């Protein structure tokens, strides 16, 4: 599956924990092109899992995203992006820089994500957290277009995610 992405865009990865966002980002982009919520929580709070630091972390993430977009650099946001208000911050920063916001949704079965999560030492939440995320994801699918995402690519299942190739569209 070819994923067409404008050469200059703000790409929001959307997916529950364990859906493979960070893995996908490592495969397709340079580390410096990817702004992850984990990294920014670590930066402001010394702890990538400190959810109480999310407000500050996203403030800094948005700031850096804005600087990158102002310089014409494609930027990928590696966060769950499951809440409308979280995505609104990304749409806002994209619009401020006349850049198209693009969503790439990684939609994997909750059971698979849970299996992966149990193998991870850096994730300690319970199953009910994942169930809530999965519900938020289903709701998100119907909201992305009206929130302002101009391209929405939904990759369903591990095979589609593994087969995805990014193709860059020239703007001029
Ligand atoms: N993983 C895997 N096969 C894939 C993708 C991911 O086995 N095709 C594994 C990763 O090695 C990792 C776990 O699944 O141990 C979660 O993948 P990750 O990319 O970290 O998922 P995220 O969506 O980034 O999870 P989070 O939101 O918690 O950061
Ligand atoms: Mg991740």
């Amino acid at each position: 599956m070819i994923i067409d992405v404008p050469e200059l865009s703000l790409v929001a990865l959307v997916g529950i924990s364990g859906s493979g966002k960070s893995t996908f980002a490592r495969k397709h982009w340079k580390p410096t092109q990817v702004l992850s919520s984990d990294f920014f929580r670590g930066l402001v709070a010394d702890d990538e899992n400190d959810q109480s630091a999310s407000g500050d972390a996203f403030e800094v993430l948005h700031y850096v995203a804005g600087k990158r977009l102002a310089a014409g650099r494609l930027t990928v946001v590696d966060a769950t992006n499951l809440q409308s208000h979280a995505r609104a911050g990304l749409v806002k920063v994209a619009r401020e820089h006349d850049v198209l916001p693009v969503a790439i949704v990684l939609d994997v079965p909750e059971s698979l994500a849970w299996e992966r999560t149990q193998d991870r030492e850096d994730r300690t939440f319970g199953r009910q957290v994942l169930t809530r995320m999965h519900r938020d994801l289903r709701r998100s699918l119907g909201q992305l277009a009206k929130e302002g995402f101009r391209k929405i690519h939904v990759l369903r299942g591990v095979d589609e995610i593994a087969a995805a190739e990014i193709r860059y569209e020239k703007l001029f």
Side-chain angles (χ1 to χ4, degrees), residues 20-23 36 38 78 120 123:
K21 299 177 298 297
S22 300
T23 304
S36 92
D38 279 350
D78 174 13
R120 291 172 71 184
R123 293 291 183 269

Side-chain angles (χ1 to χ4, degrees), residues 75-169:
T75 300
V76 179
V77 178
D78 174 13
T80 54
N81 291 317
L82 293 170
Q83 304 285 340
S84 193
H85 68 84
R87 295 187 297 264
L90 300 180
V91 171
K92 179 167 177 275
V93 74
R95 286 197 175 140
E96 282 167 358
H97 296 89
D98 288 323
V99 164
L100 291 180
V102 173
I104 300 179
V105 182
L106 306 192
D107 186 4
V108 304
E110 184 188 326
S111 52
L112 173 67
W114 178 240
E115 273 174 38
R116 289 174 173 175
T117 297
Q118 285 172 297
D119 290 338
R120 291 172 71 184
E121 288 186 358
D122 59 339
R123 293 291 183 269
T124 55
F125 52 76
R127 176 73 188 244
Q128 74 285 359
V129 172
L130 210 55
T131 300
R132 194 181 65 225
M133 287 186 186
H134 198 252
R135 200 171 53 230
D136 290 342
L137 178 77
R138 303 254 74 80
R139 186 182 306 129
S140 298
L141 288 171
Q143 296 175 327
L144 293 165
K146 58 175 178 275
E147 288 172 359
F149 286 93
R150 296 289 295 278
K151 282 179 184 285
I152 299 155
H153 302 278
V154 182
L155 300 175
R156 293 202 163 83
V158 285
D159 292 344
E160 271 190 32
I161 293 169
E165 283 176 45
I166 312 285
R167 185 170 65 189
Y168 294 101
E169 296 175 324

